[in-house]
């Protein structure tokens, strides 16, 4: 019986391949369910006391929404990159906002005073907006098109190469097609303070 | 004098611990005593530290009414726990929102409670989280589509195992019978 000789390898090899494939994937890497879909609407208070909503950000310009916290170590390195992004693109071309995740406004004010940064920082009590965006840690950054659709989600600190890849695509987006939405993962990131 | 000092310090210690005990026991069930500002808190997991010392957070809607939980309140809590047990915590690996000590899980549980209070059904709330975190957030994926494999493979494996064991045992018995039967001369 020749087939009996092959029975064990044929049943073991697929399982082994599945196991090896599983080892190559990070358990933290979960694609965002929001890719290609409308970003969740929000209206949050800024550190300055104004109210800013998603519709204020998008419409005429695309937006980069960055979830961060002062206790998040990778956010320190990311802050420099975001400052460069903010200085290169004027407000009329691209809107950058930060949403403070599980942190005190006073900590964020101190951080901004020490490190600089002109973009609005929104407060998210009870993590409601973070949950709406399906956040599992910080930093996480969403690239939202003019029509309010999530084009891309980046897990971990945003780097210059990530911006070089996604900002031109975000600016070119006419806000109609749902193609090309994706998620990438960087090194680092914090799931909780 | 020395014995008086020892006794008085013991009494003082008893008074302090007693007061602390009364203070803690006077809290309603399920509530935690507010931490002192700056007090160190134990790290919940290697990835998720409790930040209560950074940002005091005792959601008011998680505390029962001062008169104790009413029947409806108990029912709401039980339903909240049921839904929270069916959703996976996005921060911890293989822990449900109900079991996770993380701050995000606590916020998610508060959200579940609020949505139940608003009249949403458990299925609607689960769908809300699936729409944001993907089907991954369900502790037990729905038995449909590719997920059916997850439910069928163990049963198929068990059946296959039974078939293989039966075949091996029958062959083994057959061989034993062959060797045991006397050879005709």
């Amino acid at each position: 019986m020749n087939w009996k000789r092959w029975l064990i390898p044929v049943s073991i090899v697929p399982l082994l391949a599945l196991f090896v494939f599983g080892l190559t994937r990070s358990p933290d890497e979960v694609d965002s369910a929001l890719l290609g879909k409308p970003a969740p609407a929000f209206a949050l208070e800024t550190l300055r006391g104004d109210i800013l909503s998603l519709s204020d950000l998008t419409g005429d310009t695309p937006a980069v929404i960055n979830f961060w916290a002062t206790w998040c170590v990778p956010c320190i390195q990311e802050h420099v990159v975001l400052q460069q992004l903010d200085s290169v693109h004027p407000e009329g071309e691209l809107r950058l906002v930060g949403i403070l995740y599980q942190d005190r406004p006073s900590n964020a004010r101190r951080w901004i005073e020490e490190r600089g940064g002109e973009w609005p920082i929104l407060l998210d009590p009870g993590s409601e907006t973070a949950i709406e965006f399906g956040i599992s840690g910080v930093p996480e950054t969403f690239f939202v098109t003019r029509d309010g659709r999530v084009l891309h989600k980046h897990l971990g600190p945003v780097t210059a190469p990530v911006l070089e890849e996604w900002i031109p695509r975000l600016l070119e987006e006419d806000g109609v097609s749902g193609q090309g939405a994706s998620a990438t993962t960087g090194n680092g990131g914090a799931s909780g303070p | 004098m020395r014995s008086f000092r020892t006794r008085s310090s013991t009494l003082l210690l008893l008074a302090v611990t007693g007061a602390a005990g009364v203070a803690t026991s006077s809290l309603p069930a399920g509530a935690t005593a507010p931490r002192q500002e700056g007090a160190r808190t134990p790290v919940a997991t290697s990835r998720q530290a409790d930040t209560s010392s950074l940002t005091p957070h005792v959601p008011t809607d998680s505390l029962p009414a001062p008169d104790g939980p009413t029947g409806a309140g108990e029912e709401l809590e039980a339903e909240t726990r049921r839904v929270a047990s069916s959703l996976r915590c996005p921060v911890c690996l293989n822990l449900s929102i109900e079991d996770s000590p993380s701050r995000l899980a606590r916020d998610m549980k508060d959200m579940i409670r609020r949505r139940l209070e608003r009249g949403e059904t458990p299925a609607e709330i689960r769908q809300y989280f699936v729409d944001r975190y993907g089907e991954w957030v369900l502790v037990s994926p729905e038995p449909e589509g590719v997920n059916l494999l997850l439910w069928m493979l163990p049963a198929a494996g068990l059946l296959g195992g039974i078939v293989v064991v039966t075949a091996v045992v029958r062959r083994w018995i057959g061989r034993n019978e062959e060797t045991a039967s006397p050879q005709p001369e």
Side-chain angles (χ1 to χ4, degrees), chain B residues 100-116:
Chain B
S100 168
S102 77
R103 171 93 178 266
L104 180 61
R106 210 164 48 187
D107 287 340
M108 288 170 95
K109 198 174 165 186
D110 290 342
M111 186 177 267
I112 293 169
R113 190 181 294 105
R114 282 196 299 272
R115 285 180 174 267
L116 284 170

Side-chain angles (χ1 to χ4, degrees), chain B:
Chain B
M1 183 67 190
R2 191 171 179 177
S3 64
F4 170 75
R5 230 192 245 168
T6 314
R7 214 177 305 147
S8 60
S9 60
T10 310
L11 282 171
L12 185 67
L13 185 69
L14 280 171
V16 168
T17 49
V22 168
T24 313
S25 60
S26 64
L27 280 169
T32 51
R35 288 189 182 83
Q36 293 295 315
E37 189 66 28
R40 285 188 66 80
T41 51
V43 174
T45 67
S46 59
R47 298 180 63 218
Q48 179 71 41
D50 191 342
T51 54
S52 305
S53 61
L54 280 174
T55 325
H57 177 82
V58 182
T60 48
D61 54 356
S62 70
L63 298 176
D67 298 332
T70 59
E74 276 177 10
E75 210 173 286
L76 175 69
E77 272 313 300
E79 193 63 50
T80 304
R81 279 197 295 272
R82 264 196 295 277
V83 177
S85 300
S86 70
L87 294 168
R88 195 195 300 255
C89 168
V91 177
C92 333
L93 293 177
N94 297 326
L95 273 184
S96 72
I97 292 172
E98 175 64 18
D99 297 330
S100 168
S102 77
R103 171 93 178 266
L104 180 61
R106 210 164 48 187
D107 287 340
M108 288 170 95
K109 198 174 165 186
D110 290 342
M111 186 177 267
I112 293 169
R113 190 181 294 105
R114 282 196 299 272
R115 285 180 174 267
L116 284 170
E117 276 174 328
R118 259 188 263 160
E120 287 184 34
T121 64
E124 285 170 341
I125 295 169
R126 273 190 278 271
Q127 191 55 47
Y128 167 84
F129 284 101
V130 168
D131 289 344
R132 276 137 193 92
Y133 286 93
E135 209 175 335
W136 171 90
V137 83
L138 295 175
V139 169
S140 301
E142 295 294 328
E144 56 189 27
V146 184
N147 291 345
L148 264 179
L149 278 177
L150 288 173
W151 300 88
M152 288 167 68
L153 271 178
L158 186 68
L159 276 176
I162 290 170
V163 168
V164 168
V165 168
T166 310
V168 168
V169 168
R170 282 178 70 176
R171 187 189 288 179
W172 181 68
I173 289 171
R175 270 187 199 162
N176 274 1
E177 279 173 356
E178 269 176 30
T179 51
S181 59
Q183 296 291 320
E185 301 223 353

